[in-house]
Amino acid sequence: MTANPIAKKVLERPEILEKDKVWMTKGEWASLLQPHEFECLREGQMGMRNGSKNVQFVPGSVPGGAFCCKGCGLECFAVRDFLPKATAYEGYPCFVKSIPGNVDKRLIHKNNNYTLHCERCDSFLGALRIDGFGKDGGVQNLCVTASFSLVLKVLDTAKEDQLIRVSSQAVVDKNALSPRQRMPVSPSMKRISSSASLRKIGSSGSSRNLGSVGSPRDSLAKRSTNDGIGGLGSPRDQVTKRNTLDSNNASSKADKKGLFSPRRKPK
C-alpha cells in the first residue's frame, strides 16, 4: 500500500531539511504550545496589542540577555537592541535589529514588506519595516515582533557579547561557501551523485565492466564504424562518406540491371 503523497508531505520530515532544523507536525506544535502562542508562531498572527509582558520590559533591569524563540529556544534578538519608545508606540516588542544568522527575512511581494521567521524552527516572529533614516544616512529598519513569539533569557554581558560574536562569525563562514556547498543534500541526491560517479569510473576504463564505451566521441566513432562509414571525422565528412556509399550502392544495382551498359550500334 503506497502512502498518500499529500499526507507524506505533511506528516514526514522533508529529506532536504538540514539536521539542525527543528521540524514537527501541526498537531505536535498544537500540543506543545498554548492556543495564543500557536496562532503567533505557526499561523503568522501578531497577537493582541500590549498583550505580552515583553512590552513592559525595562532596559537595564537585567545585565544582559536575549529574546528567544518560544518554539525552539533560539536566541533571536539581543536585549541591547530593545527599543522601549517604539514598543510603547506600537504595542509590540520592537528591536533595532536581530542577532545575525538567527532570523530569516522573507519578502512579501504584495506590499514589499518582510516577515521575520526563526531560522531553526521556521516559526513566525514578526515583521520588518522601514522606520526612516539612521544617523549615518542609511535606512533605519524596525523589527516589530509578535506578542507571544519571544521569551526573555537572562545572560551576563560577556555571554551576550560572545553570543553575538559567534553568530556573526557563523554568518561570515556561511557566506564564504559557494551556493552549491550551502545547499543541503537529500538522500535521493546522494543516490544520483553516487550513480554518476559509477558512470565516471566506468568511462575511465577501470577494471570493472560497467558497460561504458568511453567518451561520447568514442561511442559515436564505434557506431559510425559499425554503420560502414569507416571512422568518425567531422559531421560533414560523415555525410560525405554516407552519400558516397549510397551512390556506389545505387550504381552497382544499376549495373546489374543493365541500365548503364554501353548502347549497341544499330545493325
Side-chain angles (χ1 to χ4, degrees):
M1 181 178 179
T2 59
N4 189 350
I6 300 178
K8 184 177 179 181
K9 183 178 180 180
V10 175
L11 299 177
E12 291 187 5
R13 181 185 178 93
E15 294 181 353
I16 199 171
L17 195 65
E18 298 178 359
K19 294 182 179 180
D20 58 343
K21 304 292 184 181
V22 176
W23 184 90
M24 286 187 287
T25 62
K26 193 173 182 179
E28 292 173 343
W29 280 115
S31 63
L32 181 65
L33 302 172
Q34 297 295 329
H36 56 278
E37 297 173 350
F38 182 82
E39 290 180 358
C40 292
L41 290 170
R42 308 311 303 176
E43 295 186 349
Q45 304 294 330
M46 290 296 294
M48 183 176 60
R49 292 191 62 190
N50 298 317
S52 174
K53 63 180 181 179
N54 294 331
V55 177
Q56 303 173 358
F57 175 76
V58 179
S61 59
V62 294
F67 287 86
C68 307
C69 172
K70 248 180 188 177
C72 63
L74 180 65
E75 298 85 358
C76 297
F77 300 93
V79 168
R80 65 181 65 177
D81 297 325
F82 184 80
L83 298 175
K85 292 184 179 180
T87 300
Y89 177 78
E90 296 288 342
Y92 298 100
C94 297
F95 301 88
V96 178
K97 59 183 178 179
S98 60
I99 296 178
N102 293 354
V103 177
D104 182 23
K105 296 190 301 181
R106 300 180 184 176
L107 177 63
I108 302 177
H109 296 285
K110 294 181 180 180
N111 48 10
N112 292 329
N113 289 334
Y114 289 90
T115 57
L116 303 176
H117 296 263
C118 176
E119 187 68 29
R120 182 187 294 171
C121 68
D122 199 33
S123 295
F124 176 78
L125 300 179
L128 177 69
R129 61 182 177 84
I130 298 175
D131 190 39
F133 296 93
K135 297 180 181 180
D136 56 351
V139 176
Q140 179 69 38
N141 294 326
L142 180 66
C143 299
V144 183
T145 60
S147 296
F148 308 105
S149 294
L150 301 175
V151 60
L152 177 61
K153 178 180 178 182
V154 180
L155 298 172
D156 296 335
T157 306
K159 291 184 178 180
E160 183 181 355
D161 296 338
Q162 182 182 3
L163 173 65
I164 296 175
R165 184 170 60 254
V166 171
S167 301
S168 302
Q169 185 62 36
V171 173
V172 172
D173 296 341
K174 186 176 181 180
N175 293 333
L177 300 175
S178 62
R180 188 178 184 85
Q181 292 174 334
R182 273 179 275 171
M183 184 178 64
V185 180
S186 61
S188 58
M189 293 296 294
K190 289 182 180 179
R191 290 193 295 269
I192 294 173
S193 60
S194 61
S195 60
S197 61
L198 288 176
R199 288 196 299 269
K200 185 176 180 180
I201 293 173
S203 62
S204 61
S206 63
S207 58
R208 297 181 182 180
N209 186 11
L210 300 179
S212 61
V213 292
S215 64
R217 185 181 180 90
D218 298 335
S219 60
L220 184 58
K222 292 183 179 181
R223 289 198 300 268
S224 303
T225 306
N226 295 332
D227 293 340
I229 300 178
L232 182 62
S234 63
R236 185 169 183 176
D237 297 337
Q238 297 179 29
V239 174
T240 305
K241 292 179 181 180
R242 194 181 295 275
N243 293 336
T244 304
L245 291 175
D246 294 340
S247 60
N248 293 336
N249 293 334
S251 60
S252 62
K253 292 179 181 179
D255 292 339
K256 291 181 181 179
K257 293 181 180 181
L259 297 177
F260 295 138
S261 59
R263 183 177 298 179
R264 297 181 179 178
K265 295 182 180 182
K267 296 181 182 179

